[in-house]
Every structure is written in structure tokens, then in C-alpha cells.
Amino acid sequence: MRIIRTVDYKDMSRKAANVISAQVILKPKSVLGLATGTTPIGTYKQLAAWCAKGDVDFSQVSTYNLDEYRGLSHEDVQSYHYFMRTNFFDHINIDLANTHVPDGSNPDADAACREYDRMVAEAGYPDLQLLGIGRNGHIGFNEPGPYFSKGTHMVNLTESTIKANSRLFDSEDQVPRQAYTMGVQTIMYARSILVVANGEEKADAVYRMCYGPVDPQCPASILQLHTNCTVIADEAALSKCPRA
């Protein structure tokens, strides 16, 4: 793993945006794996600003998001379809037909997951996969468990994840209890991985990801085995990690 320390969230966002923009500039038809949550919002804003200036062109890019809540329509303001449009896609020159998010509105979990696996495989898997990390070490919605997951699947969200995500809802009771997510194996198929993290509340998870044993109880720890993984995090998130 390559670990890049940043002074704060703004610095983290800019450096992460630099990595993604370089990927798109060098390969205009890049396949990007994208993440939701509050951590990557600054990165998306920076990329949108550079796109508006003509510094980066997303017109030939295709994207595949990690996950989606089960049971929400694409137009629901809490859905990740809606999140990606309002925080990124509506602000760049991407063809919306080339953007993909698991279909949380499909109640048939097996069918929804099989179809998403098919699409990601046909795209050749991401050239670059952007990840955040949960406080319990989850990536996507792959929660701690007895084994590392494979393909896209339905998950029951843990109480810690529900509580963490409740800040985006009017109340904790409104947070969906299930989601569809790319599996860990699918994530590892990406040719490069970029993890962003900020804040002291992520320090334990970041340490376990980078320096702990490779253990499905911390799903992000599998990234130690990837051949091209970069972690960009602020001082607070790296506060428990040794300095290089």
C-alpha cells in the first residue's frame, strides 16, 4: 500500500481528485468504480470544478458504483442513484447512460445482483476503484463477517453502519436495513484502488486496514494484498499509523 498523508479534508480531496483526473486524462475511456458517503464529496466537487474549466473530460468515461440501498427508487432523495447525480454526475460532462448503480428498486435480490455482476464483468472491471472505509472497516457495504464476499450480494447492515449513515436521514428509523453491494472479490479485480479517509473516528479502521492482519472481520484489510492500492488520508485518520 502507498499511504499519502494530507493536512486536512480539503487537501485529501484535492489529492484524490488528482489521481482520478490523471487516470481519465491518460485513458479517456476509463472505467471508474465510484463510492458514496460524505468522504468522497470533496473529491467529486474538485473533479467537477476541473471539468468545468476543461481540464478533465468525462465524456467517454463509464462508471460503476459500489452499492445501493435495497427498497429505494432511483428518484428517492436518499438513494445512491440520486446522491451520485446531485453530487457528481449533474456537474460533469458524462453520458448518464454510461453511469451504473445497483438497482435497489428491484425486490428480487438474486436477479439484481446477477445483473450487476454481469454489467461490471462486461465492462472489464474498473481501471480505478474509489473507496471509502467505514468505522468498522467495511468497504462498499461489505460488513465484518466470517469470510470475504465474492460477487454482488444483498447484505443486512450492521447497527454501527446504520447509526453512522443516519446523519444523512431525518432519523435512524428511516435508514434502510438492507443493501446491494459489490463483493470484496469484485473490488479486488480493479486494476488500481484509491481509498480516501478523514477524521479521527476512522483512525482505528485505517490502522487495521493498513497494518492489521488480513481478516474478514475488517473487510478493508484485504486491500493489503492488492498490487496497486493507494490510501489518501488526513492526519487525524492516520493518527494511529506509523509515519514512513
Side-chain angles (χ1 to χ4, degrees):
M1 281 181 164
R2 290 185 295 277
I3 300 175
I4 299 173
R5 286 180 180 265
T6 66
V7 295
D8 55 21
Y9 178 78
K10 183 177 180 180
D11 188 29
M12 180 210 74
S13 299
R14 186 177 180 87
K15 284 183 168 61
N18 271 318
V19 173
I20 296 169
S21 62
Q23 170 65 47
V24 174
I25 290 168
L26 291 172
K27 185 179 179 182
K29 292 185 178 181
S30 287
V31 177
L32 300 180
L34 299 180
T36 52
T38 55
T39 305
I41 288 176
T43 298
Y44 293 148
K45 287 183 177 179
Q46 182 63 78
L47 289 168
W50 286 339
C51 182
K53 290 171 59 180
D55 293 336
V56 59
D57 177 11
F58 291 94
S59 63
Q60 299 181 73
V61 167
S62 60
T63 66
Y64 293 83
N65 265 76
L66 286 166
D67 43 30
E68 176 61 287
Y69 288 119
R70 186 185 188 210
L72 299 187
S73 73
H74 298 181
E75 301 305 320
D76 191 300
V77 296
Q78 301 294 355
S79 73
Y80 287 162
H81 280 82
Y82 187 89
F83 176 98
M84 290 306 302
R85 292 197 304 273
T86 56
N87 286 289
F88 193 35
F89 298 151
D90 288 350
H91 309 286
I92 59 174
N93 65 331
I94 196 166
D95 183 349
L96 287 178
N98 291 333
T99 65
H100 308 84
V101 181
D103 186 5
S105 68
N106 186 347
D108 187 334
D110 288 341
C113 294
R114 282 198 308 271
E115 174 62 12
Y116 203 62
D117 275 342
R118 182 194 64 77
M119 291 193 296
V120 176
E122 285 188 357
Y125 300 101
D127 294 297
L128 184 153
Q129 175 67 61
L130 176 65
L131 297 174
I133 180 172
R135 297 178 188 182
N136 62 2
H138 74 245
I139 48 176
F141 272 133
N142 292 285
E143 301 281 14
Y147 53 83
F148 292 110
S149 59
K150 292 184 178 180
T152 303
H153 58 288
M154 187 188 77
V155 294
N156 296 313
L157 303 181
T158 64
E159 287 304 314
S160 65
T161 296
I162 291 168
K163 184 175 182 179
N165 288 4
S166 65
R167 68 191 185 281
L168 303 174
F169 291 77
D170 291 334
S171 72
E172 189 171 315
D173 291 339
Q174 293 182 358
V175 183
R177 267 46 184 176
Q178 294 179 320
Y180 299 147
T181 184
M182 276 190 196
V184 169
Q185 183 182 63
T186 307
I187 291 169
M188 291 291 283
Y189 283 153
R191 282 170 282 286
S192 64
I193 292 176
L194 172 63
V195 185
V196 289
N198 73 291
E200 187 176 1
E201 68 276 6
K202 298 292 181 71
D204 283 332
V206 170
Y207 176 83
R208 293 174 67 198
M209 172 178 66
C210 297
Y211 296 99
V214 176
D215 183 347
Q217 289 298 321
C218 177
S221 64
I222 193 70
L223 301 177
Q224 294 178 40
L225 304 182
H226 198 277
T227 59
N228 187 10
C229 180
T230 300
V231 178
I232 301 180
D234 67 4
E235 290 284 359
L238 288 169
S239 59
K240 297 191 176 183
C241 295
R243 287 184 173 272

